[in-house]
Amino acid sequence: MTADARRAKRERIRGLIESEGETVAKNTRHLNESRYAAIEELGEAHEELRTLARDIKEESIERLPELIETLTESVEGNGGEVYVASDAADANEYVRSVCRDAGAEVVVKSKSMTTEEIEVNEALESIGCEVVETDLGELVIQIAEESPSHIVGPSLHKSTEEIAVLFNDHFDLEQPLETPQELTAFARDHLVEKFRQADVGMTGANFVVAETGSIALITNEGNARKTVEATNTHIAVAGVEKVIPTLSDLGPFMELVARSATGESLSSYTSVFSPPIATPPFDGGERSFHLVLIDNGRMAMREDPHLRETLYCVRCSACLNSCANFQSVGGHAFGGETYTGGIGTGWEAGVHGLDSAAAFNDLCTGCSRCVNQCPVKIDIPWINEVVRDRINRGADPGRFDFVFEGLVPDEEPAGLDLQKRFFGNFETVARVASATAPVSNWLANAPPSRWALDRFVGVEPERELPAFRRETLRDWFEAREPTNAEEPVRRVVCYPDLYTNYIETDRGKGAVETLEALGCEVAVPDVPASGRAPLSQGMIETARTKAEDAADVLEPYIEDGWDVVVVEPSDLAMFRRDNGHLLPAERHERLAENSYELFEYVYGLLEGSEGDGTALRAKRSGNREVIYHRHCQQRTLGLEAYTVAVLERLGYDVATSRTECCGMAGSFGYKSEYYELSMEVGSLLGEQLLAERDRRVVASGTSCTDQIEALVGERPTHPVELLVDR
């Protein structure tokens, strides 16, 4: 990406933050909080339902051709028709033919992202049909002539005041509308009249049941049900992935979809019926039903081992509402031609192509907050990394490879964006900078260097660059006398991730001394970086090589009974989760099962019988009242409680940050096009930390530490530095 392109992207994001950000943030955060409460009510049943729903979707996609045949027989047996459309043009031609046969002048529609995907409104308008969106949010978008900004709430970016202005300008009103009640009442009266005029009703389908030919419609306004009841020709448009085997398979989805979408135990209108329906009686003649199943790239996605999971999506938007970047900027920045948010990358890559996905793919930072929120357990960050890798390789595959061969420490093609190559090879940058420090630190911060980094690499000039240490953690450790070599309680490899080894060496020293104080023998071997940095840039082959190299060094220790303790949470996420995509299953499982987060391990020693808990103490000096900000990956892995428990056990008064994300996300906040968004995301955290200034700020992750320093002007302490006097 050129400097001009980065500047243009930054300005576009800034414009959307200013114009839509406040409303998007208010609405998505409300939905997210409501979802948390609804899921808490389910308790342990939530995880059981997620597993069941995942199993059903896996089976459905595996059996899809067979299920489509069964569904066709069922629908035809009910008196309806099924048309499987190969693409958008094919689907639209069939829908137009149905409307022509019905003599349709007015078509009423309920909300459907699939019809947005194929642009059916434009297709029908081309033959003279008036298409009326009957979902209130879709009606707003239709009048505004905008695209939806959210899968569930298409006009979620608009405030009540903006909608009032829109309605007052669009309709010929005797009195201007102002309140939500006035707007809703007017829209209801307007749509009732359109329902009376309508010749054809078009809906989507949340689920389609093969064994009965039934469809499930989940809405909160009742307009989908009205669309079916008020017309004698019903067209349901759905992606082929919506087919499930049996009616009983609907059960877990009925429990999960509304809770995941809006935080309700059940939507206001949940309709399951087998069209064409006979009730209520319709005076326009016999009802007809047409089910249009859309392929449009989905069957190819089914054959793609990485995009296949996208087809499990139930379009609940939990991943959007839980995403910090989406909360701040919304789907008009974080979206493609149709689909938005993290899962939108998979959909756009599959149905519209990589160019559409490339427009917003980098807005997924891989923080993994969405992983635990998805009701069908889709690994959304991995889908984003795969698409990013394909975008990288599709940019200019192979060009000048002969020049780059051997000159760069990665496995990527020559056309890779320089910014991604720089951050993806940060291990090499850190090694060289550490070996030449402090000269490297001075040189990197010299004005000409900062200008060049900004101009050619896209490193934000406002960001303070990390200060590399000449003495690495390994250097320090190698110069010490071994401790606890005789009869240690445990043998531990303290993994020297590249940040702990080259930059944040004090936390590494604290980790070693804490483990030794608890009776462990500690080793700090020369282990390559985990591969997190290249993976975050979509450099998958480079990440795979790093993962294999790290496993090569760590496996002999594990086989000899050593445990692996990791200081940086994102590296532990590599070992426990992401390596599952990069290493053979046996190697991944061995490393995952024997790797621990530092405070998870310390907690285990303190609570178990092996460690000498009395040897560990709080530092004699410093504020005992602390506020702790947890790393995103710690939350996803369920590890944040251990740090709080250990600190409280040692006498610290621990408050925790209410904000889930600091906004930095590794290199994301260093990139000039995303710097302002990063600071916007972090602003809530900054406000809380400034409000609790009397407490000492503590953070686990390197990214969080850098961002908090930028937000409040004070560099946080790593929690392990609160334990041992050095």
Side-chain angles (χ1 to χ4, degrees):
M1 186 186 297
T2 66
D4 288 343
R6 285 194 291 270
R7 190 177 304 111
K9 177 170 279 192
R10 177 178 179 139
E11 289 173 357
R12 180 166 185 270
I13 290 173
R14 181 195 301 149
L16 286 168
I17 290 173
E18 292 172 353
S19 61
E20 300 179 0
E22 182 177 351
T23 306
V24 170
K26 176 184 173 184
N27 290 328
T28 52
R29 286 169 185 161
H30 169 71
L31 290 171
N32 200 39
E33 290 300 320
S34 299
R35 182 178 53 78
Y36 279 140
I39 288 172
E40 189 173 346
E41 283 180 2
L42 276 178
E44 294 180 359
H46 179 240
E47 197 58 27
E48 295 169 5
L49 287 166
R50 290 178 76 213
T51 301
L52 194 53
R54 168 81 182 200
D55 291 345
I56 293 168
K57 291 299 288 188
E58 286 183 354
E59 179 194 352
S60 300
I61 298 303
E62 179 65 28
R63 295 174 54 199
L64 190 53
E66 168 204 335
L67 291 179
I68 290 174
E69 287 185 15
T70 304
L71 172 65
T72 301
E73 293 173 2
S74 300
V75 171
E76 291 176 351
N78 295 336
E81 296 182 33
V82 175
Y83 185 78
V84 180
S86 58
D87 56 25
D90 188 16
N92 285 331
E93 187 51 45
Y94 181 81
V95 172
R96 277 194 295 251
S97 70
V98 172
C99 290
R100 283 195 195 97
D101 292 346
E105 295 181 358
V106 177
V107 177
V108 286
K109 270 185 75 227
S110 64
K111 187 170 76 62
S112 158
M113 290 305 295
T114 309
T115 59
E116 293 280 353
E117 172 190 322
I118 63 174
E119 298 181 341
V120 76
N121 288 18
E122 291 79 357
L124 289 174
E125 287 165 357
S126 71
I127 61 169
C129 290
E130 179 188 1
V131 183
V132 181
E133 296 287 357
T134 62
D135 174 90
L136 183 55
E138 284 286 359
L139 177 65
V140 169
I141 293 303
Q142 186 178 35
I143 293 171
E145 298 181 353
E146 295 179 4
S147 59
S149 64
H150 189 275
I151 292 174
V152 171
S155 63
L156 176 140
H157 59 286
K158 286 195 175 300
S159 66
T160 301
E161 293 76 16
E162 290 171 321
I163 295 171
V165 170
L166 188 69
F167 275 34
N168 291 332
D169 289 345
H170 183 79
F171 295 104
D172 183 17
L173 303 171
E174 294 181 1
Q175 293 290 330
L177 305 170
E178 185 173 349
T179 67
Q181 291 79 11
E182 291 172 348
L183 290 163
T184 305
F186 173 80
R188 182 189 59 215
D189 293 343
H190 168 74
L191 291 173
V192 165
E193 183 58 33
K194 292 298 180 184
F195 278 121
R196 290 197 182 103
Q197 299 170 9
D199 308 293
V200 171
M202 185 180 298
T203 68
N206 294 87
F207 300 94
V208 185
V209 181
E211 73 169 355
T212 60
S214 308
I215 66 173
L217 298 174
I218 301 174
T219 74
N220 266 333
E221 297 178 19
N223 61 306
R225 184 181 297 179
K226 186 70 175 176
T227 297
V228 175
E229 293 174 347
T231 57
N232 66 345
T233 301
H234 174 201
I235 305 172
V237 179
V240 291
E241 81 283 1
K242 297 294 184 67
V243 183
I244 58 175
T246 67
L247 266 179
S248 63
D249 290 328
L250 275 175
F253 298 107
M254 294 298 107
E255 295 278 0
L256 288 168
V257 171
R259 283 184 170 89
S260 301
T262 58
E264 300 164 295
S265 56
L266 194 66
S267 66
S268 300
Y269 296 87
T270 300
S271 305
V272 182
F273 56 100
S274 302
I277 60 171
T279 57
F282 183 75
D283 58 8
E286 188 175 339
R287 282 191 167 96
S288 65
F289 172 64
H290 301 263
L291 174 60
V292 183
L293 293 176
I294 309 287
D295 178 350
N296 206 30
R298 288 167 172 79
M299 296 308 278
M301 293 167 71
R302 179 174 173 269
E303 300 300 323
D304 186 317
H306 303 295
L307 293 187
R308 183 184 176 109
E309 264 196 275
T310 307
L311 300 174
Y312 305 161
C313 173
V314 296
R315 313 267 178 87
C316 68
S317 77
C319 57
L320 282 62
N321 298 331
S322 61
C323 171
N325 279 350
F326 193 94
Q327 288 176 355
S328 292
V329 77
H332 285 159
F334 203 156
E337 292 184 34
T338 305
Y339 298 101
T340 56
I343 192 63
T345 288
W347 280 118
E348 289 296 324
V351 304
H352 290 310
L354 288 178
D355 286 345
S356 182
F360 65 101
N361 169 261
D362 282 345
L363 283 169
C364 173
T365 63
C367 75
S368 75
R369 289 176 71 200
C370 58
V371 171
N372 293 346
Q373 317 309 327
C374 176
V376 285
K377 304 184 179 182
I378 299 175
D379 192 346
I380 295 169
W382 175 251
I383 293 173
N384 275 273
E385 297 301 352
V386 168
V387 172
R388 194 167 299 162
D389 181 81
R390 293 176 183 178
I391 293 168
N392 290 345
R393 292 177 182 277
D396 204 355
R399 189 182 180 200
F400 301 130
D401 271 356
F402 65 95
V403 176
F404 277 70
E405 183 71 28
L407 294 180
V408 291
D410 58 49
E411 310 292 334
E412 309 304 315
L416 179 66
D417 181 78
L418 182 58
Q419 186 187 59
K420 292 187 177 180
R421 196 181 292 278
F422 175 81
F423 286 114
N425 288 308
F426 193 68
E427 181 185 16
T428 302
V429 174
R431 185 185 301 118
V432 172
S434 174
T436 56
V439 174
S440 58
N441 294 324
W442 172 83
L443 188 61
N445 285 291
S449 300
R450 294 308 305 257
W451 177 85
L453 282 171
D454 177 27
R455 177 71 183 174
F456 300 111
V457 186
V459 176
E460 169 58 35
E462 295 293 324
R463 282 286 181 201
E464 186 172 337
L465 298 178
F468 296 94
R469 303 299 181 95
R470 183 62 171 263
E471 182 192 56
T472 67
L473 173 64
R474 288 202 69 253
D475 293 338
W476 169 83
F477 185 82
E478 291 293 317
R480 301 166 74 243
E481 293 294 326
T483 304
N484 301 331
E486 301 294 331
E487 299 184 358
V489 296
R490 301 290 299 177
R491 289 190 166 89
V492 179
V493 171
C494 183
Y495 175 66
D497 66 85
L498 69 91
Y499 307 103
T500 304
N501 193 43
Y502 296 112
I503 303 167
E504 303 286 350
T505 55
D506 283 348
R507 71 183 190 183
K509 297 172 185 176
V512 170
E513 291 173 344
T514 296
L515 293 168
E516 289 179 342
L518 290 168
C520 298
E521 180 185 2
V522 179
V524 185
D526 185 9
V527 192
S530 67
R532 165 59 63 185
L535 183 64
S536 70
Q537 308 304 314
M539 299 163 60
I540 290 179
E541 286 311 308
T542 304
R544 192 188 313 279
T545 300
K546 298 284 185 187
E548 291 170 346
D549 292 346
D552 286 345
V553 176
L554 293 173
E555 280 173 342
Y557 283 96
I558 292 171
E559 288 168 3
D560 285 343
W562 292 65
D563 302 317
V564 178
V565 169
V566 184
V567 179
E568 179 65 32
S570 57
D571 286 279
L572 183 70
M574 283 292 292
F575 291 166
R576 283 200 178 169
R577 190 187 60 236
D578 300 306
N579 276 357
H581 299 290
L582 303 173
L583 297 177
E586 185 180 351
R587 299 193 75 188
H588 163 59
E589 290 168 8
R590 186 184 303 122
L591 185 53
E593 290 169 0
N594 291 281
S595 298
Y596 305 87
E597 191 255 359
L598 172 61
F599 273 80
E600 176 190 24
Y601 199 79
V602 170
Y603 178 86
L605 289 172
L606 291 175
E607 292 296 312
S609 58
E610 294 175 301
D612 177 11
T614 61
L616 198 62
R617 63 184 183 279
K619 293 190 80 163
R620 287 187 289 271
S621 60
N623 191 351
R624 293 295 181 95
E625 294 184 340
V626 302
I627 180 165
Y628 174 52
H629 178 70
R630 297 154 289 183
H631 192 279
C632 292
Q633 303 287 3
Q634 281 180 301
R635 296 173 192 267
T636 303
L637 295 171
L639 299 170
E640 66 268 37
Y642 294 112
T643 303
V644 175
V646 170
L647 293 179
E648 288 182 341
R649 177 179 176 134
L650 298 183
Y652 285 97
D653 178 7
V654 185
T656 55
S657 64
R658 295 186 295 274
T659 308
E660 295 186 358
C661 183
C662 73
M664 190 65 163
S667 63
F668 182 81
Y670 277 94
K671 295 179 176 178
S672 58
E673 64 270 35
Y674 301 125
Y675 168 73
E676 292 177 5
L677 174 57
S678 166
M679 295 299 285
E680 175 66 22
V681 172
S683 61
L684 279 180
L685 176 60
E687 289 171 11
Q688 185 190 358
L689 297 180
L690 289 171
E692 302 197 40
R693 201 83 200 224
D694 55 333
R695 288 181 177 269
R696 186 173 185 175
V697 183
V698 179
S700 298
T702 304
S703 297
C704 310
T705 300
D706 293 343
Q707 179 78 323
I708 289 171
E709 183 176 20
L711 290 167
V712 304
E714 177 184 342
R715 193 161 185 80
T717 302
H718 190 281
V720 78
E721 296 177 75
L722 299 179
L723 303 190
V724 179
D725 280 311
R726 300 187 61 248

